[in-house]
Amino acid sequence: MSVVYFIPLTLKDDPQKIERAVLKLFRATGLPEKIQKNDVVAIKMHFGEEKNHGYIKPRYAAVVSKEIIRVQGKPFFTDTNTLYVGKRSNAVDHLLLAYKHGFIPDVLYAPVIIADGLLGNAEVKVKINGKHFKDVPIARELAFCDGIVSLNHFTGHVLTHFGAALKNLGMGGSARSGKLLQHSAVKPVVNPRKCTGCEVCIPWCSTGSIKMDGDKAIINLETCIGCGQCLSVCKFEAISFKWNESSELVQEKMVEHVLGVLKGKEDKSTHITFLTHITKECDCMAEDEPAIMEDIGLLASNDPVALDKASLDCIEERIGKEFGELISRSYLPLNQINYAELLNLGSPNYELQTMKV
């Protein structure tokens, strides 16, 4: 049974208390003791989309890099470029946005490197034995580093139901071609009875696949890449996916990319999740989303499967209902957790150890 460490707190707590909590959790996982001199360790996280402020703040992330430096490792902070057009679709704009949000070496004690290169095509094919893929295109710098720490912000997600450690690693750790492979099963459709013709979805489509047919929007399924942005921004629930097919496939393909990201680093990887400022959509939304529930705290584990399951359990115990009800979406099977267990990435069975700061 995997161990998941938990420290209850809120973002209203003293920032120094939150920093101490991050350090205590990181040390509890035992990873600092496994890092050898000159090991290059990636700290995988989300630097936030423009106008979005739900991401983990730089000062809390810096606690991890300072500890890695203390044990003579070499940390760097990283994320990958997005499929959709925006401030994170290429490394230049992505880095500028990260700097704007405070992710600079003077704060982090480490550099920021976009793991899949300038245009998202710097990749390494990693062999796995999955149901969907026998090899997966992983972001180059994540393939070459010696260890990985994922810093995860738990949120809802339009495709995977929720996003935490597995999504941060699988979808966030793959190169552009890997993201396309994961989204290939997703084909949104417009319900003309619900479409109001507001055209809000059109500028969000990175491939120009949404057009107006009279006073209704239509989607060109041949050019659509299935990024899900249109569904997220539609305020009238006029766009939908075939959830019983597409979501489960996306989750499984995402998990197979997690297998590639962690391959060879299983003993030098750990994961910390913030159950704070939990929102309906992920941090990729270019707007400052409100929290949909109160803060719970921080969790950490060497097992990303146990960590995601414990995170979801903590949330559902707090709200007294399924998370799907809270985010107003039909509750989807926890396919990502079950499939990750099948691939031996971890176990949903865990022991929760509550700690104090």
Side-chain angles (χ1 to χ4, degrees):
M1 183 175 290
S2 299
V3 178
V4 177
Y5 303 97
F6 170 56
I7 296 180
L9 52 75
T10 77
L11 291 180
K12 294 180 180 180
D13 287 332
D14 186 328
Q16 292 184 343
K17 177 183 178 181
I18 300 175
E19 290 174 347
R20 293 195 301 272
V22 173
L23 180 58
K24 189 165 187 176
L25 288 171
F26 186 38
R27 287 177 174 173
T29 66
L31 183 63
E33 301 169 8
K34 299 177 182 178
I35 296 173
Q36 298 177 332
K37 184 177 181 179
N38 293 327
D39 273 351
V40 178
V41 182
I43 303 173
K44 171 65 182 73
M45 63 180 300
H46 195 303
F47 303 127
E49 186 56 87
E50 189 177 31
K51 299 180 182 179
N52 189 300
H53 302 289
Y55 54 88
I56 299 169
K57 298 304 178 281
R59 66 179 297 173
Y60 304 139
V63 172
V64 175
S65 58
K66 286 193 288 185
E67 180 67 3
I68 293 172
I69 292 169
R70 185 188 70 81
V71 297
Q72 301 185 67
K74 295 182 177 181
F76 70 97
F77 286 82
T78 193
D79 195 7
T80 59
N81 294 309
T82 60
L83 275 181
Y84 56 85
V85 175
K87 294 295 186 179
R88 297 188 302 122
S89 59
N90 67 79
V92 175
D93 291 333
H94 200 160
L95 284 171
L96 289 173
L97 183 61
Y99 299 157
K100 181 180 178 180
H101 288 170
F103 293 95
I104 57 176
D106 286 349
V107 173
L108 299 174
Y109 302 91
V112 178
I113 301 172
I114 303 304
D116 57 348
L118 182 63
L119 299 175
N121 57 0
E123 64 183 50
V124 173
K125 290 288 184 67
V126 177
K127 291 184 178 181
I128 62 168
N129 187 26
K131 178 171 65 175
H132 303 285
F133 309 115
K134 298 306 175 185
D135 59 63
V136 287
I138 299 307
R140 181 184 60 197
E141 313 310 341
L142 290 175
F144 288 146
C145 67
D146 299 303
I148 296 176
V149 179
S150 70
L151 296 183
N152 320 294
H153 176 216
F154 190 106
T155 66
H157 191 265
V158 68
L159 294 182
T160 63
H161 187 66
F162 73 91
L166 291 173
K167 178 184 174 292
N168 185 22
L169 292 166
M171 199 172 288
S174 59
R176 184 180 299 276
S177 61
K179 292 181 176 70
L180 283 168
L181 289 172
Q182 292 172 58
H183 289 78
S184 62
V186 179
K187 294 298 178 182
V189 294
V190 178
N191 183 339
R193 291 178 297 178
K194 291 186 176 182
C195 179
T196 65
C198 68
E199 302 187 19
V200 169
C201 57
I202 292 177
W204 284 85
C205 182
S206 62
T207 59
S209 298
I210 305 179
K211 306 290 184 182
M212 295 301 294
D213 182 12
D215 60 352
K216 304 293 181 181
I218 58 172
I219 300 174
N220 184 340
L221 300 183
E222 292 184 2
T223 58
C224 170
I225 60 174
C227 67
Q229 292 293 86
C230 57
L231 188 146
S232 296
V233 300
C234 180
K235 298 179 181 180
F236 305 99
E237 299 182 350
I239 303 175
S240 62
F241 295 135
K242 293 182 179 179
W243 289 115
N244 60 330
E245 298 176 4
S246 56
S247 180
E248 291 193 12
L249 284 175
V250 170
Q251 291 180 50
E252 289 182 0
K253 291 178 177 181
M254 178 183 75
V255 166
E256 290 192 5
H257 282 73
V258 179
L259 196 63
V261 169
L262 295 181
K263 188 173 182 179
K265 306 175 182 69
E266 295 86 352
D267 294 333
K268 283 191 177 180
S269 298
T270 199
H271 320 280
I272 301 172
T273 296
F274 280 62
L275 296 185
T276 57
H277 195 76
I278 298 167
T279 53
K280 180 179 180 180
E281 308 292 354
C282 70
D283 292 337
C284 293
M285 296 302 295
E287 57 185 43
D288 197 15
E289 284 196 276
I292 55 176
M293 60 175 292
E294 61 187 12
D295 293 346
I296 295 176
L298 276 59
L299 295 92
S301 180
N302 293 324
D303 181 341
V305 184
L307 182 60
D308 276 7
K309 184 61 165 62
S311 299
L312 191 62
D313 287 347
C314 285
I315 288 172
E316 294 187 339
E317 181 180 355
R318 179 66 62 89
I319 63 178
K321 57 185 177 182
E322 294 176 335
F323 184 64
E325 295 181 49
L326 182 64
I327 60 176
S328 302
R329 294 194 179 113
S330 57
Y331 193 76
L332 303 174
L334 300 181
N335 211 49
Q336 57 187 292
I337 291 176
N338 296 334
Y339 191 59
E341 180 186 20
L342 185 65
L343 293 181
N344 296 316
L345 276 168
S347 170
N349 301 312
Y350 62 90
E351 174 190 347
L352 190 67
Q353 293 190 10
T354 302
M355 306 169 69
K356 295 182 179 180
V357 180

